[in-house]
Amino acid sequence: MTKRNVTKLTTVASNPKPAGSDTDRLVDELRRRIVTNEMPPGSRIRENELAEEFSVSRSRVRDAFGILEERGLIERIPNKGAVVMRLEADSFLELFDVREVLEGLMVRLATQNTEPEYWDDLINLFGDDLGKAVEDNDFNAYMAAIAQFRQGCIEAAGSDTLRGLLDDIYDRVLSMTRRLMLVPGRASEGFRQHQEILRAIQAGNADRAEELKRDNIRSARQWFLKYNDFLL
Amino acid sequence: MTKRNVTKLTTVASNPKPAGSDTDRLVDELRRRIVTNEMPPGSRIRENELAEEFSVSRSRVRDAFGILEERGLIERIPNKGAVVMRLEADSFLELFDVREVLEGLMVRLATQNTEPEYWDDLINLFGDDLGKAVEDNDFNAYMAAIAQFRQGCIEAAGSDTLRGLLDDIYDRVLSMTRRLMLVPGRASEGFRQHQEILRAIQAGNADRAEELKRDNIRSARQWFLKYNDFLL
DNA sequence: GCATATTATATTGTTGACAATATTATTGGC
DNA sequence: GCCAATAATATTGTCAACAATATAATATGC
């Protein structure tokens, strides 16, 4: 089997697309506000306010809303307006199920497409230093590392289709992921799981890497289920 | 584990949503024309034409285009217009990968959520009569049965998130699926695979059902790979 | 004072006109 | 006849005004 030669980790993209059109700029900025909880679920979003703030016509705002709605980030009720999507426990469980198989696919493809050296940086990143940071509850460092892991895997997987699906799902669950990290014990478990996954990937064991990633999501699901009263 | 009591197979929805708004009607109709190849890939779609044909303003057409673009059914080039998305072989392979894991998940959840009786109708449908039909190259009968299978599984899986993803993917690959069916041997193989999957599901063997469904998609992928020169 | 009806306000939905851009047709030079 | 430059047309992009609807405020009957 020929392997794609992916040698360089792209820098973690804080803003995925600089974007050209007004509509794109709006989508990106609103997306950011939603996933960072700057606009928490249930927030009402008025077309006029945004149009004024961004100095664009309401039509552009409207177009952006259409895209965000299709991505499941906002909900539009006819003649009433748009609100940031509020997810119930059921939806999160459904998303965990989907993430399980898609992220499993991601690491499988990533393993198949790369040489072991590709993973040196990530293996290094998920070393003792990060372990210490996790024990010290340095969640920012851990979140950043997870983002790097994601980025590296998606890049290596090389499937735009998969990337699109994962990006959409990521946006929807990011704020929950951040909260889940606070649950005592979850972060360090996740850290160890990622170490193990990375070892399997570098060893070229695609099946095991996929299985481990699926285990990883399933365990996150379990933690969510146990603590969802506090998390939602 | 408690099982959801899904007792009735919903009739196969020829038109998923009757839909209320003009935009929704447009989306549904355009979707239909695209997936049936009435508008083949590469077709130019003009906003004015559609606006006139459906007696709506261009704005509605524009909104519909936004949705279809987000779903990956059309492509919009700024100041040039919209064309029906044309998929390359690579995209189809990516879609096969994603389908493999998502449809695997679908049958796993469907198995876990239902009692054996739920599947009596489908087991019956995939009986000797349909087998004969397949041997006689009655592709319409087979396509209809496959649609029923899908519908029953998605219903039983009970995940709106998964349903949404599968519906999107389905739209993108439908015309290819129809062509793939023409490849000598593929239909009868697919038929037998579905019989086996249904048996595993009814036996309550979720893991095996998932694995068999994944095998099913993988084999379809292989056929596509072998004959893609004729199929694209 | 409370519930209901009515008016006023705010917000979203829709449209047609106009601007910007690309495509096609025409002209002129050689 | 062929190519380039220019004009004419067609198509998409944007906007601001207007309509429809929902929400809030006010008035009215009891």
Side-chain angles (χ1 to χ4, degrees):
Chain A
M1 171 172 309
T2 61
K3 304 196 176 199
R4 288 173 59 254
N5 200 3
V6 186
T7 55
K8 185 165 151 290
L9 256 174
T10 57
T11 60
V12 55
S14 51
N15 37 354
K17 320 154 202 163
S21 76
D22 285 352
T23 303
D24 289 348
R25 283 204 355 261
L26 272 168
V27 169
D28 278 355
E29 175 58 15
L30 291 177
R31 185 199 80 98
R32 193 192 63 75
R33 293 185 186 182
I34 293 170
V35 302
T36 59
N37 247 322
E38 204 169 302
M39 285 174 157
S43 302
R44 177 91 181 273
I45 335 179
R46 284 179 195 80
E47 298 177 355
N48 262 324
E49 286 181 13
L50 287 172
E52 195 164 357
E53 177 184 352
F54 288 90
S55 304
V56 298
S57 77
R58 254 184 63 223
S59 310
R60 305 300 104 232
V61 179
R62 214 134 220 297
D63 288 349
F65 278 15
I67 293 173
L68 292 170
E69 182 182 29
E70 200 67 11
R71 291 196 195 166
L73 287 180
I74 70 174
E75 190 177 13
R76 290 175 94 179
I77 302 145
N79 290 315
K80 288 207 56 177
V83 295
V84 177
M85 183 75 81
R86 188 194 301 276
L87 293 185
E88 306 297 322
D90 283 352
S91 303
F92 278 111
L93 292 176
E94 290 183 6
L95 282 164
F96 273 116
D97 287 340
V98 171
R99 279 182 64 191
E100 178 187 330
V101 297
L102 288 181
E103 296 197 15
L105 171 62
M106 171 184 78
V107 297
R108 170 156 56 94
L109 293 177
T111 305
Q112 290 167 347
N113 286 337
T114 53
E115 302 294 338
E117 307 88 75
Y118 176 82
W119 302 96
D120 288 345
D121 290 349
L122 275 174
I123 294 269
N124 201 46
L125 178 58
F126 278 78
D128 292 342
D129 287 355
L130 185 59
K132 269 269 188 288
V134 170
E135 297 307 323
D136 295 347
N137 297 325
D138 183 352
F139 298 116
N140 284 325
Y142 183 49
M143 274 297 288
I146 294 283
Q148 290 266 13
F149 175 86
R150 258 186 72 89
Q151 195 72 14
C153 285
I154 289 179
E155 191 74 18
S159 167
D160 287 338
T161 304
L162 180 58
R163 179 202 300 271
L165 294 175
L166 288 175
D167 282 350
D168 276 9
I169 293 169
Y170 190 61
D171 283 347
R172 292 202 241 174
V173 300
L174 180 58
S175 77
M176 170 56 64
T177 303
R178 298 180 66 90
R179 267 172 283 176
L180 195 54
M181 205 165 282
L182 297 174
V183 176
R186 171 59 201 154
S188 61
E189 184 188 73
F191 170 70
R192 282 192 301 274
Q193 290 172 329
H194 278 85
Q195 281 188 316
E196 206 175 351
I197 294 164
L198 277 167
R199 277 199 295 271
I201 293 175
Q202 198 173 42
N205 195 338
D207 286 344
R208 176 164 164 76
E210 178 176 14
E211 195 51 45
L212 285 171
K213 189 67 185 118
R214 289 181 64 156
D215 288 344
N216 165 242
I217 303 291
R218 266 200 298 270
S219 86
R221 190 183 196 274
Q222 291 294 97
W223 286 81
F224 168 79
L225 211 48
K226 190 168 175 185
Y227 293 96
N228 82 75
D229 286 344
F230 300 91
L231 292 166
L232 283 176
Chain B
M1 170 173 307
T2 62
K3 303 196 177 196
R4 289 174 58 258
N5 200 3
V6 186
T7 55
K8 186 166 151 286
L9 256 174
T10 56
T11 61
V12 54
S14 51
N15 36 355
K17 321 153 203 165
S21 76
D22 285 352
T23 303
D24 289 348
R25 283 203 356 259
L26 271 168
V27 169
D28 278 355
E29 176 59 14
L30 291 178
R31 185 199 79 97
R32 192 192 63 75
R33 292 186 186 180
I34 293 170
V35 302
T36 59
N37 247 321
E38 205 168 300
M39 284 173 158
S43 304
R44 177 93 181 274
I45 336 180
R46 284 177 196 82
E47 298 177 353
N48 262 326
E49 285 182 13
L50 288 171
E52 194 164 358
E53 177 183 352
F54 288 92
S55 304
V56 297
S57 78
R58 250 185 66 221
S59 311
R60 309 297 104 231
V61 178
R62 212 135 222 295
D63 288 349
F65 278 15
I67 292 173
L68 293 170
E69 182 182 29
E70 200 67 12
R71 291 197 195 165
L73 287 180
I74 70 173
E75 192 176 11
R76 291 174 94 179
I77 301 144
N79 289 315
K80 288 207 58 179
V83 296
V84 177
M85 183 73 81
R86 188 194 302 274
L87 294 184
E88 306 297 322
D90 283 352
S91 302
F92 278 110
L93 292 176
E94 290 183 5
L95 282 165
F96 272 117
D97 288 340
V98 171
R99 279 182 66 190
E100 178 186 330
V101 297
L102 288 181
E103 295 198 14
L105 171 62
M106 169 184 80
V107 297
R108 170 156 56 93
L109 293 177
T111 306
Q112 291 167 347
N113 287 335
T114 51
E115 302 294 337
E117 307 88 75
Y118 175 81
W119 303 96
D120 287 346
D121 289 350
L122 274 174
I123 294 269
N124 201 47
L125 178 58
F126 278 79
D128 292 342
D129 286 356
L130 185 60
K132 268 267 189 290
V134 171
E135 296 308 322
D136 294 348
N137 296 326
D138 182 351
F139 298 117
N140 284 326
Y142 184 49
M143 274 298 287
I146 293 284
Q148 290 267 13
F149 176 85
R150 259 186 70 88
Q151 193 72 15
C153 285
I154 289 179
E155 190 74 18
S159 167
D160 287 338
T161 304
L162 180 60
R163 178 202 301 272
L165 294 174
L166 288 175
D167 282 351
D168 277 9
I169 294 168
Y170 189 62
D171 282 347
R172 291 201 242 174
V173 300
L174 180 57
S175 77
M176 171 55 64
T177 302
R178 297 179 67 91
R179 267 172 284 176
L180 195 53
M181 204 165 283
L182 297 175
V183 175
R186 171 60 201 153
S188 60
E189 183 187 72
F191 171 70
R192 281 192 301 275
Q193 289 172 329
H194 278 86
Q195 282 188 315
E196 206 175 353
I197 294 165
L198 278 167
R199 278 198 294 273
I201 293 176
Q202 198 173 42
N205 196 338
D207 285 345
R208 177 164 164 76
E210 178 176 14
E211 195 51 45
L212 285 172
K213 188 67 184 117
R214 290 182 63 158
D215 288 344
N216 164 241
I217 303 292
R218 265 199 299 270
S219 86
R221 188 183 196 276
Q222 290 294 99
W223 286 81
F224 168 78
L225 210 50
K226 190 168 176 184
Y227 292 96
N228 83 75
D229 284 345
F230 300 91
L231 292 165
L232 281 176

